[in-house]
Amino acid sequence: MTFVISKLFWILAAPGNLLVLALCGSAFMLFTRWRRFGRWVVAVIAAAALAVTVVPVGQWLLIPLEERFPAAPIPEKLDGIVVLGGGISARLLEARGQASLNEHAERLFALAGFARRLPETTLIYTGGDNALVDPTNPEADAARGLMAELGLDTDRIIFERDSRNTYENALYSKALAKPSPDETWLLVTSAFHMPRSVGIFRQQGWPVVPYPVDYMTDGEYRLFRSPDLTAGLTALSIGTREWIGLVAYYWLGYTDSLFPGANP
């Protein structure tokens, strides 16, 4: 039920969707006795769209997330690596017959790199199908196919294909890994996603070592950016979703703190 509620909530809460809904509502008001108020709403929407286009609001949200766990060297003693899914579309692979990577493909690059460099280390790639309707295309299956195309031995990689969100990533991966307290495991995911992910794994009693990839910012705060509405909305959407996720997961008891950091 929590999964369904979160999916439905985000349909309404996504910044781009909110802008469209507000625009439709204000357009309707223009043809009613509320037209004066509708004009004000249209003006506010226009100002918001302009702000997202030229002001890096999304970057401001992403920077503290990405800076929370600085990149660190790989531990000398390493028992296993967990890579969170999110970088490939299983549905497009089935429809087109080719792997289709997205903006978070660095997670898969990391998996392939570790598979080649650390042949004796246990690898887990975790990612099911998070579609609300007809969830029949686990991302792990697409990742397995891509790794095979790259010439890697997929038999030495554990592909977890049932999880639908980060909480289930940790839950199901731990059941497969069965880590002991003296083992050292690396967690690979996007830098902006690392705080929530580490908090979830810690709450599961699995203190992983963070290995952030897929940076979306250079860490510098700026007042303006080159005009680009699409890029601005993308960064704003990702940042907003992650901060909402941190609050929601902490409220649900899925993470060990509101804003997990390097020191538990």
Side-chain angles (χ1 to χ4, degrees), residues 126-129 138 140 159-165 168 172:
T126 170
D129 189 338
F159 292 93
E160 186 285 304
R161 60 196 302 274
D162 296 322
S163 57
R164 300 170 300 174
N165 53 35
E168 293 182 355
Y172 299 158

Side-chain angles (χ1 to χ4, degrees), residues 103-163:
E103 66 271 21
H104 307 307
E106 286 86 346
R107 304 183 192 186
L108 288 155
F109 296 157
L111 175 65
F114 284 129
R116 293 187 186 279
R117 291 159 50 197
L118 304 172
E120 304 301 322
T121 302
T122 301
L123 299 174
I124 297 177
Y125 184 87
T126 170
D129 189 338
N130 65 354
L132 192 58
V133 179
D134 190 27
T136 57
N137 295 281
E139 185 185 337
D141 293 352
R144 182 193 296 272
L146 177 61
M147 294 301 110
E149 287 185 22
L150 294 175
L152 298 172
D153 180 10
T154 57
D155 289 337
R156 66 169 299 265
I157 304 174
I158 301 172
F159 292 93
E160 186 285 304
R161 60 196 302 274
D162 296 322
S163 57

Side-chain angles (χ1 to χ4, degrees), residues 82-84 126 166-171 173-174 185-188 195-208 254-256:
V82 179
V83 180
L84 302 190
T126 170
T166 311
Y167 170 72
E168 293 182 355
N169 287 154
L171 186 67
S173 294
K174 185 181 180 183
W185 281 76
L186 206 69
L187 176 64
V188 179
R196 181 157 57 105
S197 301
V198 169
I200 294 168
F201 275 75
R202 285 176 180 168
Q203 188 72 345
Q204 291 288 330
W206 193 359
V208 291
Y254 289 170
T255 59
D256 67 331

